[in-house]
Amino acid sequence: MITPEDVYAALEKKHAQEGQFYRWLGASLIGHPCSRYVALKFRVAFEDKLKGQTLRIFDAGHEAEDRIIRDMHATGKVYISDQQKMIDLPGAKGHAGVTLDGIALVDSVRMVWECKTANDASFTKFEKQGVKAAKPQYYAQVQVGMMLTNLKNALHTTENKNTSALRFEVIPYNHEVAENLASLARRIVDGFEGQRCNDRPDWYECKWCPANKMCHGSAIPRKHCLTCCHSTAVDGGKWACRIFGDAVIPDENLPVGCDDHLYLPWMLNCQVVGYGEYWVEYELPGGERFYNLPVSSFPKITGVDNPVLLTSEMMEQAGDVTRI
């Protein structure tokens, strides 16, 4: 007999197979309150495991768009076009931009259209506070969208999932906000590691963050090309490797990496106490030290008695620096 758990498990498996190496820095991510999270997410440093029930909620939100468009078209006052149109952010080398829910033509005025669903509590918060105060990340998303479409207003549509009530809000373009977000996106593409929104791991925005154990704790990032200090984002949404003469890395190789992998030091919550061209030495809180180095350099550390030499693969298998 089928159970809800069977459905959830199937969705989780599908998501793990299709969505765990998504590396587009979209406008909804750029506006996240923690730029360290954005940097780690862009580099696919951690697995963002979503429960099957949550995935169904996301799907319901996407499926609601077509129904809401149909209902708005029925009024004869709104027409939605350009659904799911992707626009690159200039200067971000094809790694960042916006995916529009659509362009709304309202009373002969073109606007960015963004559609969301919300539970009753969130819907009420939108009504009382407006999008900017209630959900700054949504506000940031439409600002980037307006900048990249040269439109001066956005129509933000919210549906109450509990009552099917609709809410509309016209959000004006804020050039300063949009430029700051675009600048952050370009910096992250170019290697900026971001800044924590708070140094307390129990802070409300950090407590439930999927990157918490890596950002605040001792979890080790995933081993692949994007977490390696030899890789660089280049034009066309591609990545190049310095080890191989700045050659472009084939897309199918990105999730795998190679034996020359060397972790980006900022991703590890350890003190860097030394480094060379192909190795980095770290010190743990208890005073223990270890070297992260590629297979090709193993073992080339001299002048140290019994050094702890760890390839990135060995570290990933440990999963946590306290287990090293």
Side-chain angles (χ1 to χ4, degrees):
M1 179 63 184
I2 189 171
T3 68
E5 286 68 31
D6 294 330
V7 175
Y8 301 153
L11 291 173
E12 290 164 13
K13 181 179 179 180
K14 184 174 183 289
H15 176 69
Q17 292 173 338
E18 298 178 356
Q20 282 299 311
F21 209 75
Y22 189 78
R23 56 189 190 278
W24 168 257
L25 183 47
S28 58
L29 177 58
I30 296 169
H32 192 278
C34 179
S35 60
R36 174 61 63 87
Y37 170 85
V38 178
L40 288 168
K41 180 75 171 177
F42 174 64
R43 290 269 181 168
V44 201
F46 58 92
E47 288 192 33
D48 193 358
K49 295 182 179 180
L50 297 175
K51 294 185 178 298
Q53 188 172 354
T54 302
L55 291 169
R56 294 196 74 249
I57 292 173
F58 289 166
D59 285 343
H62 294 313
E63 291 167 358
E65 288 182 22
D66 289 337
R67 176 170 45 77
I68 293 170
I69 289 173
R70 180 200 66 206
D71 293 345
M72 291 194 301
H73 283 180
T75 69
K77 295 182 178 182
V78 179
Y79 180 73
I80 303 296
S81 64
D82 297 283
Q83 286 178 260
Q84 302 307 310
K85 181 179 180 180
M86 296 181 72
I87 306 174
D88 284 346
L89 172 67
K93 306 173 184 176
H95 291 268
V98 67
T99 302
L100 299 174
D101 280 346
I103 297 292
L105 184 65
V106 185
D107 298 328
S108 300
V109 177
R110 296 176 76 244
M111 304 180 185
V112 166
W113 182 60
E114 184 62 33
C115 183
K116 303 292 186 185
T117 59
N119 60 29
D120 194 57
S122 295
F123 189 87
T124 301
K125 191 174 181 181
F126 280 129
E127 289 195 311
K128 290 182 177 179
Q129 301 180 7
V131 172
K132 183 178 180 180
K135 195 70 174 180
Q137 196 168 341
Y138 292 173
Y139 178 79
Q141 184 177 5
V142 296
Q143 292 301 332
V144 175
M146 285 185 278
M147 181 180 70
L148 297 184
T149 55
N150 293 314
L151 297 176
K152 300 304 180 185
N153 290 286
L155 176 64
H156 196 281
T157 301
T158 309
E159 181 185 68
N160 187 319
K161 289 186 288 188
N162 298 82
T163 66
S164 294
L166 291 173
R167 179 183 183 276
F168 298 103
E169 179 180 343
V170 175
I171 301 173
Y173 178 52
N174 186 315
H175 180 72
E176 183 179 0
V177 170
E179 284 295 336
N180 287 340
L181 291 164
S183 176
L184 174 62
R186 295 185 188 105
R187 290 169 64 201
I188 287 176
V189 169
D190 287 338
F192 176 52
E193 63 195 59
Q195 294 178 321
R196 290 176 180 156
C197 62
N198 198 285
D199 287 329
R200 286 175 45 193
D202 61 345
W203 178 250
Y204 77 100
E205 289 177 315
C206 301
K207 189 174 182 179
W208 306 111
C209 176
N212 183 294
K213 292 182 180 179
M214 187 173 298
C215 183
H216 291 282
S218 50
I220 293 173
R222 299 169 66 187
K223 173 193 167 289
H224 53 63
C225 291
L226 273 60
T227 59
C228 178
C229 63
H230 301 308
S231 67
T232 305
V234 294
D235 290 339
K238 301 292 185 179
W239 292 81
C241 180
R242 288 189 291 271
I243 289 287
F244 296 99
D246 292 324
V248 172
I249 305 168
D251 286 349
E252 60 270 22
N253 290 358
L254 290 175
V256 182
C258 72
D259 287 343
D260 288 309
H261 184 281
L262 191 65
Y263 277 117
L264 283 160
W266 65 265
M267 290 187 176
L268 297 170
N269 253 340
C270 303
Q271 180 68 38
V272 175
V273 292
Y275 61 90
E277 187 176 4
Y278 298 110
W279 56 269
V280 180
E281 183 184 11
Y282 296 94
E283 182 173 283
L284 299 176
E288 304 90 346
R289 294 189 177 189
F290 69 92
Y291 292 84
N292 175 211
L293 72 174
V295 171
S296 58
S297 297
F298 204 105
K300 292 185 179 179
I301 304 298
T302 60
V304 180
D305 293 332
N306 301 316
V308 178
L309 308 178
L310 299 170
T311 64
S312 294
E313 183 174 6
M314 295 164 66
M315 293 174 64
E316 184 187 41
Q317 289 173 352
D320 192 300
V321 293
T322 60
R323 300 193 187 107
I324 291 173

